[in-house]
Amino acid sequence: MKHRAITIDGPAGSGKSSVAREVALRLGFSFLDTGALYRAAALAIRDAGCDANDNDACGRVLQGIHISQDGGTTLLNGRDVSQEIRTPETSALASAIAVHPSVRGVLVEVQRSFLSRSSLVAEGRDTGSVVFPDADVKIYLHADPEERARRRHAELVAKGMSPAMETVLHEMKIRDERDEGRKESPLVIPESAVVVDTTHLNIQEVVEKILSLVRERLTD
């Protein structure tokens, strides 16, 4: 039986993680959180005392570790790092190392290995363009920067943090520039992807729109 791949890409704050998780649940597919894999890699690089700007050194660190996901749990060498990877510092480091070809090369292979086990919904920034270019359905979520910053700010406040909205928006714009401008696997709208603007939609509305598209495509 052929395993199906659905990819949901987009910039930070577009809603892709929440949407992808719910779509996977509704379809009975596995959910692949590629951002969590990059954050776990960032932890490994930090713990190794490696220079995050050194492409070759970062790649060597990742060649010697094991990153996996089990349901909603992310494991680094068998250790549950699900909470540790969600700090702003780890997110920033993950963004910094994601520009390296050595890092992306290792993690692309890790991501592809999941499809050999089950059908999946993968969310990220290059899942439809690079990781699973032959995915059955490709979605690209977009939202206005101000709305994406508002969502991110709300997430941080819910975790007990209190950053200024202006700071969150500024950091998001920097992240967008880095993701779109990097030479290795930049953030782009994948070929044949359906673009969904989530600015004025709630999570359930986006989920229903995607499920309708998926069922139509998979039936065909």
Side-chain angles (χ1 to χ4, degrees):
M1 177 181 176
K2 176 188 174 184
H3 292 147
R4 303 286 193 172
I6 298 167
T7 62
I8 301 180
D9 291 307
S14 57
K16 57 186 182 295
S17 294
S18 299
V19 168
R21 186 177 290 106
E22 181 65 16
V23 169
L25 179 64
R26 297 274 293 274
L27 291 173
F29 288 10
S30 296
F31 166 56
L32 178 57
D33 182 352
T34 66
L37 301 180
Y38 277 90
R39 291 183 178 91
L43 281 185
I45 288 169
R46 183 204 67 186
D47 292 347
C50 177
D51 181 358
N53 296 311
D54 189 326
N55 170 67
D56 293 337
C58 288
R60 285 193 294 271
V61 169
L62 299 189
Q63 290 288 349
I65 67 170
H66 179 67
I67 302 173
S68 61
Q69 288 183 353
D70 182 10
T73 302
T74 299
L75 304 172
L76 173 59
N77 292 330
R79 177 169 64 94
D80 184 352
V81 295
S82 305
Q83 297 302 315
E84 194 175 353
I85 61 175
R86 296 301 172 183
T87 66
E89 294 77 16
T90 303
S91 294
L93 183 57
S95 178
I97 66 167
V99 303
H100 298 319
S102 66
V103 171
R104 303 199 76 85
V106 170
L107 293 183
V108 163
E109 292 308 312
V110 172
Q111 293 167 66
R112 287 175 176 165
S113 71
F114 284 85
L115 189 58
S116 66
R117 305 168 206 166
S118 66
S119 294
L120 56 79
V121 178
E123 70 84 14
R125 288 172 172 77
D126 66 347
T127 60
S129 57
V130 174
V131 184
F132 302 111
D134 297 322
D136 297 272
V137 181
K138 301 178 187 180
I139 306 294
Y140 185 90
L141 299 185
H142 174 73
D144 293 341
E146 290 75 14
E147 173 60 18
R148 292 191 286 118
R150 185 195 65 76
R151 294 171 184 172
R152 178 59 177 160
H153 182 266
E155 290 177 1
L156 295 174
V157 169
K159 294 178 181 178
M161 305 174 196
S162 54
M165 176 65 79
E166 294 77 9
T167 300
V168 175
L169 178 58
H170 176 67
E171 292 177 349
M172 185 161 287
K173 288 181 177 179
I174 291 175
R175 180 66 184 271
D176 287 349
E177 291 174 0
R178 179 182 291 161
D179 288 341
E180 294 170 2
R182 65 181 178 232
K183 293 182 179 180
E184 188 74 13
S185 304
L187 174 65
V188 297
I189 299 175
E191 182 179 356
S192 75
V194 176
V195 179
V196 178
D197 189 335
T198 69
T199 303
H200 304 294
L201 299 176
N202 62 39
I203 290 175
Q204 286 306 315
E205 288 172 329
V206 178
V207 167
E208 291 300 334
K209 180 172 288 196
I210 292 175
L211 284 173
S212 177
L213 176 66
V214 168
R215 287 164 178 156
E216 177 184 319
R217 295 283 181 87
L218 295 190
T219 299
D220 292 344

